[in-house]
């Protein structure tokens, strides 16, 4: 019990330091949010290098980081086509380097796409210092955090059948249901609270539900990746939490869903 108590205290201390910085960067937007995404992308890239290419972690981590950061910066300046082209060529370059270093080329290339795609979409969603961009980004975080927290609480409280015991033995169906319901409530609440354009409360709940499903899928997907690479955690970057990838795996999938929702709203508004 004492060990568990120390672990919880360490987790709480880490969150108390990191969460305010992330919230502040998101609130101010602009270069502050760009800096947040760039720093996160670099950390994630080196975690990916260590996890997927144990015989050449630093070169692969650096190659993945350069590709993702170049794409993110292009997205920040509004050149989305360049951002995605850079991502594709960066993936190819990382794959070639991995092959030269005796590592799996497909793992390095996939790492660029896996980390780069959601990073670009986060930059696009925040949209500089736009208040509307802040609202949509806040929705992503609210849904993801709500789904994660309620999934943990519901799973711990009710237990029951395992969701996917082969890859993630601690996750239960009760936690899954609690998580997606929490995401739906968070989506509706954020839509009611903020100006989300033509997104109604009902559709905000549907979007929250879909993003919560994506959050669960992202968590399970990363569990499968860790099983494939034979590691327990993606790293030890955050004391008490493991790697940064262990904390944002669900967010990386959820942002794709919310960005799709934002795009649909924009198309509806332009067609009105």
């Amino acid at each position: 019990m004492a060990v568990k108590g120390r672990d919880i205290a360490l987790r709480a201390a880490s969150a108390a330091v990191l969460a305010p910085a992330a919230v502040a960067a998101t609130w101010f937007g602009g270069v502050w949010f760009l800096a947040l995404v760039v720093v996160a992308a670099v950390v994630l890239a080196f975690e990916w290098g260590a996890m997927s290419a144990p015989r050449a972690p630093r070169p692969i981590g650096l190659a993945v980081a350069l590709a993702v950061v170049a794409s993110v910066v292009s997205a920040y300046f509004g050149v989305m086509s360049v951002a995605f082209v850079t991502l594709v060529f960066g993936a190819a370059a990382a794959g070639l380097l991995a092959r030269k270093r005796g590592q799996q080329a497909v793992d390095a290339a996939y790492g660029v796409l896996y980390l780069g795609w959601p990073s670009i979409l986060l930059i696009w969603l925040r949209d500089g210092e736009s208040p509307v961009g802040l609202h949509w980004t806040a929705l992503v975080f609210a849904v993801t955090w709500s789904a994660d927290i309620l999934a943990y609480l519901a799973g711990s409280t009710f237990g029951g059948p395992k969701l996917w015991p082969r890859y993630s033995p601690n996750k239960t169906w009760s936690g899954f249901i609690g998580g997606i319901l929490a995401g739906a409530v968070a989506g509706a609440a954020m839509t009611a609270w903020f100006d989300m354009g033509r997104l109604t409360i009902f559709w905000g709940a549907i979007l929250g539900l879909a993003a919560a499903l994506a959050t669960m899928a992202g968590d399970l997907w990363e569990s499968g990746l860790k099983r494939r690479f034979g590691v327990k955690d993606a790293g030890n970057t955050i004391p008490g939490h493991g790697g940064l990838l262990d904390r944002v795996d669900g967010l990386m999938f959820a942002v794709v869903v919310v960005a799709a929702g934002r795009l649909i709203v924009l198309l509806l508004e332009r067609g009105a």
Side-chain angles (χ1 to χ4, degrees), residues 83-95:
F84 288 117
V85 169
T86 302
L87 201 65
V88 171
F89 279 96

Side-chain angles (χ1 to χ4, degrees), residues 7 60 103 147 150 163:
D7 181 61
I60 301 305
Q103 301 291 279
L150 265 295
L163 181 61

Side-chain angles (χ1 to χ4, degrees), residues 6 16 47 69 89 104 112 114 116 138 140 148 167 186 194 200 216 218 237 240 244 266-267 271:
R6 286 197 299 269
E47 287 184 354
V69 169
F89 279 96
Q104 290 291 329
V112 174
Y114 179 52
V140 174
D148 276 341
Y167 291 109
F194 289 130
T200 64
M216 303 292 137
T237 308
L244 181 59
L266 285 173
L267 293 174

Side-chain angles (χ1 to χ4, degrees), residues 107-185:
D107 291 338
Y110 177 71
V112 174
L113 302 176
Y114 179 52
L115 304 178
W117 175 250
S119 299
I120 290 173
L121 291 180
L122 267 176
I123 292 293
W124 176 79
L125 204 62
R126 183 59 186 89
D127 192 20
E129 298 177 3
S130 164
V132 175
L134 172 61
H135 299 166
W136 282 90
T137 310
L139 187 147
V140 174
F141 289 136
V143 168
T144 303
W145 292 341
S146 298
D148 276 341
I149 293 170
L150 265 295
Y152 174 76
L153 292 177
S156 300
T157 302
F158 301 109
K162 301 299 182 181
L163 181 61
W164 197 6
R166 180 179 178 184
Y167 291 109
S168 190
N170 294 325
K171 293 179 175 59
T172 62
W173 278 102
S174 61
F176 174 78
I177 294 170
I180 61 174
L181 291 178
V185 171

